[in-house]
Amino acid sequence: METSQFIYTYIRHRDEQELCRMEMRAFFGSDVQENVIISEVEIDPSRSPFIQARLEVWIQADTLDSLAEQAAELTVKETFKTVCLNDMELAGTLKIGHAKRREIERKTGLQINGEPELDNPELLIGIVQLDDRWYAGKLTESSSDWYAHQQKPHMYSTALGTRLARAAVNIAVPHPEGLRVIDPCCGIGTVLVEALSMGIQIEGRDINPLVVYGSRKNIAYFNLHGDVTIGPIAEVNEHYDVAIIDMPYNLFTHITAEGQLAILKEARRFTKGCLIITIENIDEMLSEAGFTITDRCLAHKGTFSREVVWCT
């Protein structure tokens, strides 16, 4: 059986470049500087805060004419619409103007055996030029439903941003099937909401009853279901495949360096892998706790930055 090939297009701010590439490495095992990556790994584009669309390659050719000839061999049962993806520069391939894109869509779409439908198609067929190669196939666009999570009933100023939280979940749990995941310092549940909305079974815990209340309310607000327990990390008595920890820090809490180290040592006790988000370098603490750093990046937001560190 021939392996499928997927083309992913990306949109991200310059400040998000490092975070985006770390997410790429988690999903695909490698990254690129450009805004396009080709992989045999299938990821739902709506999971990522950066992926714009996914094209499952059905046909490819050196010229548009040759691509159109191959399109004549395609038969689709659903109503369809063709969409040219070159509405922006893609990995060095210049943007194609509106009129030319419409011409490309007609040239290819008219060859496909099926029923075209411009307004409410059941299937999108994408067409893209990358360098001197043309590709066409099933197009899946990101729904970006996660945007709605930016407005929660319970929020506070130091909580993770929704985009960072969603990317962090993807980095920690790129392929979640069969994994047990915990956020043992969950705060108001920003990470929990993102994980649960992607179908990832994650448990939450926090020592502060007030923020646990807020976390439960936020989860319910988005019609999600997840368990959040009140209690310190030291009381976690089960084992997990992954932990995600937004480290408490002493600018806004009363935690000490010793308290931070204690959190890391407890996490080492019950998890195989841990994603740490921190406002300061804690490499020595991670080493003392028994973790090995295997990937990292800086997540920027204006002049403020957080370290995102994946440890095993």
Side-chain angles (χ1 to χ4, degrees):
M1 182 175 173
E2 191 172 329
T3 303
S4 295
Q5 186 179 56
F6 301 94
I7 298 173
Y8 298 85
T9 61
Y10 279 77
I11 294 180
R12 73 275 196 234
H13 189 272
R14 181 176 57 190
D15 285 353
E16 299 170 324
Q17 175 81 350
E18 288 188 46
L19 183 64
C20 176
R21 291 180 65 181
M22 189 171 176
E23 186 194 73
M24 279 185 187
R25 293 192 293 274
F27 277 149
F28 307 118
S30 62
D31 68 353
V32 295
Q33 292 186 5
E34 295 83 8
N35 59 347
V36 176
I37 190 167
I38 301 176
S39 175
E40 295 178 355
V41 178
E42 182 176 4
I43 296 293
D44 179 357
S46 296
R47 283 189 60 181
S48 172
F50 311 116
I51 296 176
Q52 180 190 37
R54 181 192 72 208
L55 179 72
E56 180 181 355
V57 177
W58 288 351
I59 55 176
Q60 55 181 294
D62 292 332
T63 67
L64 181 59
D65 287 341
S66 179
L67 190 80
E69 289 177 9
Q70 291 187 51
E73 301 175 9
L74 294 177
T75 299
V76 296
K77 297 180 180 179
E78 306 101 321
T79 59
F80 73 91
K81 176 182 177 181
T82 51
V83 180
C84 180
L85 304 184
N86 295 92
D87 58 349
M88 62 180 177
E89 183 174 331
L90 294 173
T93 301
L94 296 179
K95 173 183 175 179
I96 298 175
H98 176 82
K100 182 64 175 177
R101 294 201 309 275
R102 298 295 84 82
E103 181 183 333
I104 290 167
E105 291 164 359
R106 287 192 296 270
K107 184 180 183 71
T108 308
L110 288 173
Q111 301 302 313
I112 297 171
N113 299 299
E115 181 183 347
E117 168 57 55
L118 297 182
D119 296 325
N120 295 294
E122 297 171 297
L123 173 69
L124 293 178
I125 297 179
I127 306 161
V128 65
Q129 181 187 19
L130 297 175
D131 295 326
D132 296 323
R133 194 78 174 159
W134 290 86
Y135 304 85
K138 181 179 179 179
L139 178 65
T140 305
E141 297 177 324
S142 173
S143 67
S144 299
D145 290 343
W146 58 270
Y147 276 132
H149 302 161
Q150 296 180 95
Q151 298 300 320
K152 302 176 179 67
H154 294 268
M155 302 175 67
Y156 59 84
S157 60
T158 59
L160 290 182
T162 302
R163 296 173 72 88
L164 173 54
R166 195 166 185 88
V169 172
N170 289 330
I171 291 165
V173 200
H175 310 292
E177 186 175 355
L179 297 184
R180 295 196 69 195
V181 186
I182 186 172
D183 181 348
C185 306
C186 69
I188 60 164
T190 306
V191 164
L192 299 180
V193 167
E194 296 314 307
L196 292 169
S197 72
M198 290 187 272
I200 296 171
Q201 296 306 304
I202 186 171
E203 299 172 32
R205 170 181 285 266
D206 201 283
I207 198 170
N208 186 331
L210 290 178
V211 297
V212 167
Y213 171 83
S215 178
R216 290 171 177 168
K217 288 291 185 181
N218 284 339
I219 290 170
Y221 180 78
F222 296 109
N223 296 314
L224 301 170
H225 303 279
D227 295 327
V228 188
T229 302
I230 300 171
I233 191 172
E235 292 180 1
V236 176
N237 55 20
E238 297 187 46
H239 289 275
Y240 295 84
D241 298 286
V242 178
I244 302 173
I245 301 177
D246 178 19
M247 284 292 289
Y249 38 92
N250 56 22
L251 288 176
F252 301 102
T253 72
H254 298 297
I255 195 165
T256 62
E258 290 76 16
Q260 291 177 321
L261 178 59
I263 288 173
L264 296 175
K265 286 183 175 180
E266 291 293 347
R268 176 74 290 180
R269 173 179 58 80
F270 60 73
T271 188
K272 297 176 184 176
C274 190
L275 187 80
I276 306 292
I277 304 168
T278 171
I279 66 165
E280 56 195 350
N281 185 287
I282 56 170
D283 288 8
E284 289 187 8
M285 283 190 194
L286 289 168
S287 178
E288 186 174 346
F291 283 109
T292 300
I293 297 171
T294 59
D295 201 358
R296 71 191 313 156
C297 78
L298 279 177
H300 303 279
K301 187 174 183 180
T303 58
F304 186 70
S305 63
R306 283 179 164 100
E307 290 201 25
V308 180
V309 186
W310 172 244
C311 305
T312 56

